[in-house]
């Protein structure tokens, strides 16, 4: 299983918290790339509930990771 920023961003608007099957359903309905669906299929625990994308990919950048002042734009 591998994640990139582009792949992980496809799940950003998923209905969190969600189980593996709920995330798979969302990915299919939203037209996510096959790689996202493959990554979700690689999750072993069917019943685990994920609260956010960071639980799937801990390196997912948060707003705090970007060094710009939103008030300037």
């Amino acid at each position: 299983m591998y994640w990139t920023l582009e792949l992980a961003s496809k799940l950003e608007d998923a209905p969190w918290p969600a189980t593996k099957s709920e995330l798979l359903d969302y990915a299919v309905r939203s037209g996510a790339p096959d790689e996202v669906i493959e990554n979700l299929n690689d999750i072993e625990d069917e019943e685990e509930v994920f609260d956010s994308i960071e639980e799937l990919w801990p390196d997912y950048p948060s707003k705090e990771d970007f060094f710009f002042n939103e008030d300037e734009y």
Side-chain angles (χ1 to χ4, degrees):
M1 177 169 40
Y2 71 95
W3 290 101
T4 64
L5 183 56
E6 181 182 357
L7 293 177
S9 69
K10 302 298 182 186
L11 295 177
E12 200 168 64
D13 294 328
W16 303 102
T19 62
K20 172 184 174 178
S21 62
E22 292 169 334
L23 290 172
L24 277 168
D25 181 57
Y26 174 81
V28 170
R29 286 187 294 112
S30 66
D34 291 339
E35 292 87 351
V36 172
I37 295 169
E38 289 172 18
N39 285 346
L40 293 173
N41 277 323
D42 287 346
I43 298 171
E44 294 179 10
D45 189 355
E46 297 282 332
E47 301 302 318
E48 184 176 357
V49 176
F50 301 97
D51 291 323
S52 66
I53 187 66
E54 287 87 4
E55 289 188 21
L56 294 175
W57 188 39
D59 293 334
Y60 188 75
S62 66
K63 279 191 163 190
E64 292 79 37
D65 292 335
F66 297 101
F67 299 109
F68 64 90
N69 186 352
E70 290 181 354
D71 295 334
E72 293 178 9
Y73 298 98

